[in-house]
Amino acid sequence: MAPHAIVILTGAGISAESGLATFRDPDGIWARHRIEDVATPEAWRRDPAKVTGFYNARRRQLLDPAVAPNPAHHALVRLEQAWPGDFLLVTQNVDNLHDRAGSHRLIHMHGELARVRCTSCGAEAPWLADVEPASACPACGATGSLRPAVVWFGEMPLEMERIARALTECDVFIAIGTSGAVYPAAGFVGEARAAGAHTMEVNLEPSDVRSRFHEARHGPAATLVPALVEELLAAR
Ligand code: OAD
């Protein structure tokens, strides 16, 4: 019988061929910025202008016409639409390329660049412009209170209960374009495997957690993911 529940985890590697830098490759974001300067609650408290500037620059990239979903993002939409069983796409990416491709059963576990959260009233809102010191919260009107609606180091990733349930119930778990350096996402393969799922890694190179997967395919996501999706659909 064909497997019926599938969970896909994606990381920065799936968006690399769309022109967005990964984090830990030699030319990656963490080669140019220190995590503790731009991606922690302490950094925000210490220097909100610096943190806001870092996320403004990354948010601006989403408006670049050259930055668009690539064949890997599109293939996952095809899989979601054609897969006969349960399907969940969990992304660590804060970009909006899965959304723009048309993925719906999607969890942004590290939040979204294209949204802001008001530290005064707690409301969230879509936001594609730069956040300026005078930017006002659309809900309460406070200024100087908008932070990116992303999860920083030291904060809890989103929708973890829903993700844990899907991992326990899945028959197939596939991680795409992620180095396996950041938990809890790097531990998902272990959870899925313990629950009996077949596990596969698709990444440019062996990830830090390669040995935990039953199977691996190494190469560019925009080539490997469309081929894998056709295989999965042919075998269903
Ligand atoms: P990383 O930068 O750690 O890893 C990206 C992986 O993608 C690497 O293993 C690359 O080899 C691989 N890769 C690069 N280009 C690829 C391509 N064309 N096709 C397939 N794979 C490719 O990014 P993540 O694993 O997503 O968190 O990082 C996880 C988290 O760490 C991020 O969500 C972010 C970061 O710090 C926060 O900011 C909270």
Side-chain angles (χ1 to χ4, degrees):
M1 194 179 73
H4 71 273
I6 191 160
V7 175
I8 312 267
L9 170 71
T10 63
I14 197 168
S15 297
E17 289 159 272
S18 295
L20 297 178
T22 61
F23 294 94
R24 292 175 183 78
D25 287 304
D27 54 349
I29 293 172
W30 298 149
R32 286 173 278 126
H33 302 269
R34 283 165 18 118
I35 288 178
E36 49 276 43
D37 288 343
V38 294
T40 66
E42 293 74 27
W44 167 256
R45 280 195 288 275
R46 202 169 47 237
D47 194 345
K50 183 178 217 168
V51 173
T52 299
F54 172 73
Y55 286 96
N56 279 346
R58 292 181 59 201
R59 193 180 303 105
R60 243 175 264 144
Q61 289 185 291
L62 303 182
L63 301 173
D64 179 344
V67 173
N70 69 52
H73 298 101
H74 291 299
L76 294 182
V77 177
R78 169 158 159 71
L79 184 61
E80 176 180 340
Q81 289 172 352
W83 187 253
D86 288 347
F87 175 97
L88 182 65
L89 173 56
V90 180
T91 188
Q92 298 167 88
N93 298 344
V94 295
D95 68 50
N96 58 6
L97 298 180
H98 284 306
D99 312 72
R100 283 165 57 188
S103 289
H104 291 295
R105 281 177 269 168
L106 167 66
I107 292 177
H108 276 278
M109 66 176 287
H110 289 167
E112 296 176 65
L113 260 184
R115 295 178 71 79
V116 289
R117 183 159 76 248
C118 177
T119 53
S120 185
C121 74
E124 273 201 19
W127 198 280
L128 272 168
D130 279 5
V131 174
E132 310 279 2
S135 298
C137 167
C140 73
T143 53
S145 63
L146 297 180
R147 60 159 279 181
V150 301
V151 174
W152 285 324
F153 286 90
E155 295 182 324
M156 184 61 89
L158 308 176
E159 305 216 45
M160 288 305 293
E161 278 182 25
R162 210 175 127 206
I163 295 170
R165 209 175 318 121
L167 289 170
T168 345
E169 290 169 0
C170 75
D171 301 290
V172 179
F173 172 78
I174 303 171
I176 302 169
T178 179
S179 63
V182 173
Y183 287 80
F188 289 175
V189 55
E191 290 175 53
R193 204 170 162 156
H198 183 74
T199 57
M200 184 193 291
E201 150 170 310
V202 179
N203 205 48
L204 197 56
E205 61 198 1
S207 78
D208 294 359
V209 290
R210 157 66 185 100
S211 62
R212 299 188 198 164
F213 288 86
H214 292 104
E215 198 185 335
R217 298 188 183 182
H218 295 132
T223 307
L224 294 188
V225 177
L228 174 61
V229 163
E230 292 315 315
E231 269 179 52
L232 288 166
L233 291 177
R236 97 198 105 139

